[in-house]
Amino acid sequence: MSQPSNLQNIVCENGQLLVPDRPVIPYIEGDGIGAEVMSAAQKVVDAAVERAYSSRRKIEWMEVYAGQKAEKITGSSLPEETINTFKRCHVGLKGPLNTPVGEGARSLNVALRKELDLYANFRPVKYYPPAPSPLLHPERVNAVLFRENTEDVYAGVEFESGSDAARSLLEYLKTNSPHNYARIRFPETSALGLKPVSREGSTRIIRSAIEYALSNNRQSVTLLHKGNIMKFTEGGFMKWGYDLAETEFASQTYSMRKHKKLVAEKGDAQAKSALKSAREEGKLIVKDMIVDAAFERAIAHPEDMDVLVTTNLNGDYLSDALAALVGGLGIAPGANINYTTGDAVFEAVHGTAPDIAGKDMANPCSLILSSMLMLRYLGWHEAADLIEKSLGSTLAGRNLTPDFACQMDNAVQCSTTQFTSLLIQSM
Ligand code: NAI
């Protein structure tokens, strides 16, 4: 894990990454199919960088340990050295990690996000034909989901049913907030959980989504929430989102909250004309939607889904549902990012697939596309374009790993290794 002295790390200054030509990129191979998909992704990245920049640029991969391999080598499943290396190098790649089952066992993925404060889970959802999709027109899907990663019921602030802590919290509510206490249907046996959603936490993820939308010429950002039921937490997320758009991004965005006020004050026609002008000026539309309606919308009218931003639990469900529209987790890329420190871990979003591990059957597309996103994050767009284009043409040639091939007519089934070679050949 020691780093040769002639190699340079990425530096982050005021949220801007300074990327040397030979950046050190730490990677966690991952458990199960991790070794197979990581090897595929690295080969593809190396070939693309070589083709795009000859010997001028090169990724210097540096293995760091987590999961079962780390346990074997260091005795810890997430050694301090791994976290420190990610902090020092800023950008890394990660294969899937087993989550040990049982009380007290922590998810390594969650631990890594927490240690690095990777508050934005970035999940683009785009269709690469002929990936199997339940939609009639999957080519209409081109959404980007930002899921808040650090708050919400996911914070894990929970109190076991019947515990002293649960009892004192219930007692506190009974005395100080009797109307809330009265809402708890079975107080004697209730386990309790808190749902912290802060203005800071909401604002920073919504800012990331708006900045992404502005710099990628997107049409809209939708604040997805359940504020009709959870007024202060989910409702707060929506309110702080609009507050941000109307202050920090006032000149670049058109707020649908303001639009509704305009309708009430000046009538429909004037509001419609304001919206039309905003569109003509290329302003980003900031709107909101109740999250369950978004699930319906994503299936019935996927073309309406543009940049989406939501709280942690909503985002957890929605990200996998959106991935299913374009072929599932085998091809869905993702990253966890802190846009302030620049720290970012690009990852396969599927699990360790123990049923096919070691069989050269895994679909490497998720980690390959995540690596492509990583190259874009570094500003190496020429190499990223090469990967995206050749992945598209390899899939279009219907050379597919078994998970895709078995769902399709006229497919040529190939192994992980064969798929990777074909992809590199087509660059
Ligand atoms: P899984 O994603 O590993 O597998 C679910 C099904 O999808 C299996 O049939 C598997 O063969 C298939 N599959 C997954 N990835 C594939 C790929 N790239 N190519 C072809 N087929 C693929 O989910 P499961 O079984 O629930 O979890 C297994 C382990 O992975 C657990 O320990 C879980 O905690 C962990 N996990 C880790 C994640 C991460 O590190 N980000 C995410 C999800 C699960």
Side-chain angles (χ1 to χ4, degrees):
M1 273 199 275
S2 65
Q3 181 180 320
S5 56
N6 63 332
L7 305 179
Q8 284 182 300
N9 288 333
I10 293 167
V11 175
C12 184
E13 277 178 14
N14 306 321
Q16 291 293 313
L17 287 188
L18 306 176
V19 183
D21 284 338
R22 290 182 63 182
V24 176
I25 301 283
Y27 70 95
I28 294 169
E29 186 179 76
D31 302 321
I33 56 170
E36 295 155 74
V37 292
M38 182 58 73
S39 157
Q42 289 176 328
K43 281 182 188 147
V44 168
V45 168
D46 288 344
V49 169
E50 219 271 315
R51 260 158 237 198
Y53 312 112
S54 310
S55 51
R56 188 163 66 83
R57 282 180 171 164
K58 187 175 184 306
I59 300 276
E60 298 292 347
W61 301 105
M62 178 186 187
E63 181 164 15
V64 289
Y65 302 117
Q68 290 164 347
K69 199 167 179 181
E71 187 85 53
K72 229 184 259 168
I73 295 171
T74 70
S76 156
S77 57
L78 187 57
E80 199 66 21
E81 174 66 11
T82 296
I83 294 167
N84 290 339
T85 308
F86 273 117
K87 282 186 182 159
R88 195 172 61 242
C89 298
H90 290 296
V91 179
L93 195 60
K94 181 184 119 354
L97 291 169
N98 250 339
T99 306
V101 182
E103 263 176 56
R106 64 177 185 161
S107 156
L108 298 177
N109 297 308
V110 174
L112 199 59
R113 284 173 207 170
K114 204 165 168 200
E115 290 287 343
L116 298 170
D117 195 23
L118 304 173
Y119 61 83
N121 182 222
F122 171 63
R123 294 279 293 264
V125 194
K126 186 173 165 185
Y127 184 63
Y128 295 92
S133 164
L135 295 182
L136 205 55
H137 290 291
E139 71 284 355
R140 291 181 186 167
V141 184
N142 189 3
V144 176
L145 177 69
F146 284 81
R147 164 190 170 195
E148 204 290 322
N149 245 348
T150 63
E151 299 198 303
D152 202 351
V153 285
Y154 254 75
V157 188
E158 290 204 307
F159 305 96
E160 194 179 353
S161 160
S163 65
D164 287 348
R167 249 186 249 124
S168 13
L169 189 50
L170 286 163
E171 204 49 50
Y172 175 86
L173 289 174
K174 197 170 179 179
T175 314
N176 297 288
S177 190
H179 71 286
N180 272 320
Y181 182 80
R183 289 174 174 165
I184 302 173
R185 181 70 183 83
F186 299 110
E188 287 302 312
T189 60
S190 281
L192 301 174
L194 293 189
K195 180 179 168 72
V197 176
S198 69
R199 182 162 53 79
E200 290 90 330
S202 303
T203 303
R204 65 179 181 171
I205 182 86
I206 296 166
R207 181 181 295 113
S208 306
I210 293 180
E211 283 174 347
Y212 174 88
L214 288 170
S215 51
N216 287 278
N217 294 320
R218 293 288 189 146
Q219 313 288 309
S220 69
V221 168
T222 308
L223 309 161
L224 300 176
H225 61 90
K226 197 74 188 148
N228 52 335
I229 306 294
M230 292 164 267
K231 310 273 182 206
F232 300 128
T233 51
E234 297 277 326
F237 183 84
M238 176 195 71
K239 175 186 173 307
W240 294 317
Y242 277 128
D243 290 349
L244 180 77
E246 291 168 15
T247 52
E248 219 172 288
F249 298 97
S251 62
Q252 296 146 292
T253 60
Y254 183 85
S255 154
M256 290 308 284
R257 179 172 71 176
K258 265 192 169 170
H259 180 85
K260 278 180 201 153
K261 276 189 206 150
L262 196 61
V263 172
E265 285 165 12
K266 310 264 180 187
D268 215 21
Q270 199 161 327
K272 261 190 186 152
S273 130
L275 178 57
K276 189 166 170 262
S277 315
R279 287 213 166 100
E280 282 164 5
E281 288 162 30
K283 285 194 174 170
L284 180 72
I285 310 295
V286 176
K287 53 188 175 175
D288 73 280
M289 193 186 283
I290 304 288
V291 71
D292 40 81
F295 276 83
E296 187 268 342
R297 197 91 195 147
I299 295 165
H301 298 283
E303 64 280 3
D304 289 354
M305 301 279 118
D306 196 344
V307 176
L308 312 168
V309 55
T310 192
T311 50
N312 207 338
L313 187 63
N314 294 334
D316 189 17
Y317 299 150
L318 189 60
S319 54
D320 284 8
L322 290 175
L325 302 180
V326 294
L329 299 182
I331 193 168
N336 294 301
I337 305 175
N338 180 320
Y339 287 94
T340 312
T341 61
D343 292 353
V345 179
F346 293 79
E347 64 177 4
V349 304
H350 53 74
T352 58
D355 49 337
I356 56 166
K359 296 183 179 163
D360 202 14
M361 285 169 71
N363 186 340
C365 289
S366 171
L367 198 58
I368 290 174
L369 283 172
S370 296
S371 312
M372 182 272 288
L373 296 177
M374 181 183 82
L375 291 172
R376 293 209 186 284
Y377 188 72
L378 300 181
W380 292 13
H381 293 286
E382 298 80 5
D385 288 344
L386 272 176
I387 295 181
E388 193 163 20
K389 211 168 148 222
S390 51
L391 184 114
S393 65
T394 310
L395 290 172
R398 298 182 98 81
N399 293 290
L400 306 165
T401 46
D403 56 321
F404 275 12
C406 72
Q407 299 183 58
M408 226 166 274
D409 297 331
N410 311 322
V412 180
Q413 184 167 308
C414 60
S415 66
T416 313
T417 318
Q418 287 164 336
F419 181 84
T420 308
S421 303
L422 286 169
L423 199 160
I424 292 171
Q425 273 167 33
S426 76
M427 265 178 206

